[in-house]
Amino acid sequence: MKPICLHIGTHKTGTKALQVFLSANRNALEGAGIHLGTAGRQLLAERAFTPGHHVIAWELQQSGTSVELDKLVEELRANPSPVAVISSEEFHPLHANVATLEHLRDALRSGGYEAKIVIYLRSQARYAESLYSEYSKQSFIGTFERYVDTILQNGFYRQAPGAATIVFEYTRLLEPFERVFGAKNIVVRPYRTDQNAEFLFRDFLTILANVRGGLTLNNMQNPSPVANVSLTLIQLLERVHADLARQGAALEAPRALIAAQFPQSDEAVLNQRFQLLTFEDSLRFVERFAADNEALKDRYAVELQLIRAADIPPPESAMWETARRHREIFRGAIDHWTT
């Protein structure tokens, strides 16, 4: 069978930027014998689709089957390329249902392809902080402190009953994929924040080259190195305020509230990328997931960034003062709006 690289995320590991990159270079990939699937993308406007294959994942999450997956299989059968690739960060929550993973595996096999699962992972602490921002873009999920405590206690987070379960114990996340697709078909890579924006693209192309057996690409484009920019503190507060206001509450606007309660907070503080994790929180994450991260390293030969106490900047680092200030402002605003 021919290989298909099934990139499953996770969230907040450059997935959207990678999808945009792959879509922008569709012709170059096709010329090199790599077919980027067209079925399964979400229609945004007339002839405008998401670069990721989210609809397949959403349908599988909801019912265990997918009309768009069936369309993809027909597409794969008709395509002569020796390698194919699809991508969505919404695939990784399928770990919760082995029968659905088996359906996905068997459907791709019926199209003549054997799936190679590709996943990028980052330290649990930074993953949790970034996810909080993503949730906040949709709706307010509660205080950051309670959110962190839930993850540390359970090893996972679920936004609401029936919502996708986001697992922070990575070996637990990967075990169902390995059981269904086989250990040799699991590719685990670290998400590197210490490298430039091009690193992820080069790394993924290396994976494709290994699967393809060599890869020559020309005229590659990079239209969006960073496709999902993190919120600043004031942007995060504005998102939370907007959601709470939609529920009918008459709330003081974020800037007015900050001016009254935190008059020393200038625009520079508000316009920094939000930082809510404290030094103490980071150590709690390190301790909580140390055993699982060691098991991840042993099983998949991958080591994540910032997963040891020695890797975390010392308490006197300026970043922790920023985090302390952001946490104080954010908590003060939430307390004011919700009490």
Side-chain angles (χ1 to χ4, degrees):
M1 286 193 177
K2 296 186 288 187
I4 179 169
C5 285
L6 177 55
H7 172 230
I8 67 171
T10 54
H11 298 96
K12 309 309 299 178
T13 57
T15 50
K16 185 175 181 179
L18 179 58
Q19 290 155 8
V20 170
F21 173 76
L22 294 173
S23 183
N25 292 285
R26 179 183 297 276
N27 291 339
L29 291 169
E30 293 283 355
I34 297 172
H35 175 64
L36 180 62
T38 58
R41 299 171 299 159
Q42 182 184 14
L43 180 64
L44 300 176
E46 185 177 358
R47 301 179 67 182
F49 296 85
T50 59
H53 303 81
H54 309 312
V55 179
I56 295 174
W58 289 332
E59 290 180 343
L60 289 172
Q61 287 181 35
Q62 292 167 5
S63 66
T65 61
S66 168
V67 172
E68 286 297 312
L69 175 59
D70 296 339
K71 293 178 182 178
L72 176 68
V73 169
E74 290 304 312
E75 179 185 328
L76 293 174
R77 285 179 181 149
N79 193 280
S81 298
V83 176
V85 58
I86 59 175
S87 170
S88 175
E89 60 272 32
E90 302 300 332
F91 279 119
H92 79 85
L94 296 178
H95 72 88
N97 194 317
V98 169
T100 298
L101 289 179
E102 290 172 341
H103 175 76
L104 174 60
R105 176 198 63 195
D106 295 344
L108 294 174
R109 283 179 176 175
S110 73
Y113 284 82
E114 187 78 15
K116 299 281 186 182
I117 305 299
V118 180
I119 187 168
Y120 284 83
L121 300 172
R122 67 188 303 181
S123 74
Q124 286 87 352
R126 295 304 168 192
Y127 184 32
E129 185 180 53
S130 292
L131 269 179
Y132 186 82
S133 170
E134 287 302 300
Y135 285 130
S136 298
K137 291 177 182 178
Q138 318 299 321
S139 63
F140 178 55
I141 61 171
T143 66
F144 185 72
E145 290 84 354
R146 185 175 66 182
Y147 167 77
V148 166
D149 288 344
T150 299
I151 294 170
L152 294 175
Q153 179 178 343
N154 299 329
F156 66 87
Y157 185 79
R158 187 181 297 115
Q159 186 176 3
T165 301
I166 305 301
V167 175
F168 290 80
E169 295 170 328
Y170 294 141
T171 59
R172 178 181 166 191
L173 165 63
L174 291 167
E175 191 278 330
F177 285 96
E178 183 173 318
R179 195 189 330 165
V180 172
F181 294 94
K184 67 182 178 62
N185 289 324
I186 308 297
V187 179
V188 184
R189 299 291 298 145
Y191 178 64
R192 300 287 300 273
T193 58
D194 61 341
Q195 301 290 329
N196 62 35
E198 297 281 340
F199 176 82
L200 176 65
F201 308 148
R202 294 196 306 269
D203 190 71
F204 193 79
L205 289 177
T206 298
I207 294 171
L208 290 180
N210 290 337
V211 172
R212 176 74 174 84
L215 189 63
T216 301
L217 292 167
N218 299 309
N219 302 318
M220 299 293 282
Q221 303 175 45
N222 183 12
S224 182
V226 180
N228 195 3
V229 179
S230 295
L231 299 179
T232 64
L233 176 61
I234 189 62
Q235 289 172 335
L236 180 61
L237 284 166
E238 288 170 345
R239 297 295 179 95
V240 172
H241 176 269
D243 184 61
L244 293 173
R246 278 194 297 269
Q247 300 174 28
L251 304 175
E252 191 172 4
R255 289 186 181 277
L257 175 61
I258 292 168
Q261 290 198 0
F262 306 97
Q264 302 305 314
S265 298
D266 58 21
E267 282 296 309
V269 171
L270 299 181
N271 290 317
Q272 286 177 305
R273 182 236 180 240
F274 82 95
Q275 298 181 61
L276 299 180
L277 274 173
T278 64
F279 176 77
E280 292 74 19
D281 286 334
S282 298
L283 290 181
R284 291 170 67 202
F285 271 95
V286 165
E287 182 178 355
R288 171 64 176 82
F289 296 105
D292 191 71
N293 285 332
E294 193 62 31
L296 182 79
K297 179 182 177 181
D298 291 343
R299 187 160 189 80
Y300 300 103
V302 62
E303 189 165 10
L304 310 182
Q305 291 180 285
L306 302 174
I307 59 169
R308 293 184 174 84
D311 299 330
I312 298 174
E316 60 271 17
S317 171
M319 69 175 290
W320 301 122
E321 176 56 26
T322 299
R324 183 200 64 77
R325 189 62 176 155
H326 281 197
R327 184 80 161 258
E328 178 185 33
I329 295 169
F330 189 76
R331 181 167 50 201
I334 299 301
D335 287 347
H336 184 83
W337 289 333
T338 59
T339 56

